[in-house]
Amino acid sequence: STLRLSDRDRLMPVLAAQKTGMRDFTFASLYMWTEACRVACAECAGRVLIRSRDEISGRDIYAIPHSGSDFLYAVSCLEELQPEGFLLRSLDAGNAALLREKFGDRVQLSFLPEEEDYVYLLSDLSAYSGRKYSQKRNHVHAFLRENGSYTLEDIDAGNLPLVRSFYRTYRSFEEDADLSARREGEAVWRVLDAFSELPVRGWLLRAGGVQPVGFCIGEVQGQTLFLHIEKALQEVRGAYPLLVQATART
């Protein structure tokens, strides 16, 4: 059935048990893309199957938030449902090896660079030290020169209306002729509409302690913070890298 907020308590323990560090196994990410990607979940003898729609092929594609024998059992459930074959995504090396061992040459494994997540150490983002981060560091310095100071505050019921107003203005300057932009906009609104019911935290960045210039919303799972949403004013130099750095320092 279509993923709903009411699935949270049932799915969270299963998703949290995964140590892959993949965004596809975080509840808020699944929820925000439910409409755009037709995300649904089902169970087979206690094993969870997550289905979405592949934009390129138009076919259903599955993710299995289990490892070892539980993963293989879920795969066997899919075999019964779709004996002609099926698509899987978000495989770690261990589960990929299990598939190869079980199915041999019947399995085709592909790495899709466009599906990669960017992974950073918290210490790197909070410091922006070294040559690798010199450009981001320079942009942050420019922000401070031009705006004097900043504040970063948790998003809560008190300032959520301001965040919504900021995003509404932000969206008015985006090009909606692009389908992916429209879908992303709808996904962000889903998170904002259900903010208090999702396992997320958010931060609002203000220039000079007054003007909102950006916000981000993320989800902590294990030792990883998954930033699902990052929005900042392009015309405010340094807003994006400062938003990330200030969030990493919280």
Side-chain angles (χ1 to χ4, degrees):
S1 61
T2 300
L3 186 74
R4 295 179 172 84
L5 284 170
S6 57
D7 294 316
R8 170 183 167 169
D9 292 342
R10 177 170 61 91
L11 286 181
M12 286 285 290
V14 177
L15 298 175
Q18 289 302 296
K19 308 300 182 184
T20 59
M22 294 184 187
R23 186 186 304 269
D24 286 349
F25 295 137
T26 59
F27 184 80
S29 179
L30 292 171
Y31 179 79
M32 74 182 287
W33 293 104
T34 292
E35 292 295 330
C37 299
R38 303 182 187 181
V39 179
C41 62
E43 286 191 23
C44 178
R47 282 75 168 187
V48 173
L49 302 172
I50 300 170
R51 186 190 69 201
S52 58
R53 180 60 57 89
D54 181 65
E55 294 183 6
I56 298 176
S57 68
R59 293 177 59 187
D60 288 338
I61 187 167
Y62 296 87
I64 300 175
H66 298 285
S67 302
S69 59
D70 288 331
F71 170 79
L72 288 177
Y73 191 93
V75 169
S76 68
C77 292
L78 281 176
E79 281 189 282
E80 293 183 14
L81 289 171
Q82 297 186 214
E84 73 282 2
F86 48 86
L87 296 175
L88 289 175
R89 65 177 294 161
S90 305
L91 293 171
D92 63 10
N95 283 345
L98 288 175
L99 282 178
R100 181 68 76 189
E101 181 179 338
K102 180 177 176 62
F103 296 104
D105 293 339
R106 292 172 58 197
V107 174
Q108 296 181 4
L109 298 175
S110 299
F111 174 70
L112 304 176
E114 65 273 16
E115 295 291 325
E116 269 192 301
D117 283 332
Y118 293 100
V119 181
Y120 298 93
L121 292 174
L122 197 65
S123 57
D124 289 344
L125 296 182
S126 62
Y128 280 158
S129 59
R131 181 176 299 178
K132 177 180 178 181
Y133 295 101
S134 61
Q135 188 173 18
K136 294 182 184 296
R137 192 167 60 248
N138 290 339
H139 284 307
V140 169
H141 290 161
F143 180 99
L144 295 175
R145 283 196 308 270
E146 295 168 12
N147 297 281
S149 63
Y150 74 91
T151 58
L152 187 78
E153 59 194 67
D154 287 348
I155 297 175
D156 56 24
N159 59 20
L160 183 58
L162 180 60
V163 174
R164 294 174 61 88
S165 176
F166 170 85
Y167 186 60
R168 190 174 295 109
T169 302
Y170 179 95
R171 283 283 294 138
S172 69
F173 293 101
E174 287 193 321
E175 180 52 70
D176 272 355
D178 185 275
L179 178 60
S180 63
R182 288 204 304 274
R183 286 181 171 176
E184 183 184 6
E186 293 165 359
V188 172
W189 278 120
R190 282 180 63 83
V191 173
L192 292 175
D193 288 343
F195 183 82
S196 63
E197 301 172 83
L198 289 169
V200 295
R201 288 188 63 189
W203 296 269
L204 173 65
L205 179 69
R206 297 179 189 252
V210 179
Q211 178 193 0
V213 293
F215 75 95
C216 62
I217 295 176
E219 177 178 2
V220 176
Q221 187 166 281
Q223 298 297 309
T224 303
L225 169 62
F226 294 88
L227 283 181
H228 299 315
I229 300 168
E230 296 175 56
K231 300 296 176 184
L233 297 179
Q234 296 282 1
E235 63 268 25
V236 179
R237 184 183 176 190
Y240 264 108
L242 178 59
L243 176 63
V244 173
Q245 183 183 57
T247 299
R249 290 176 173 179
T250 59

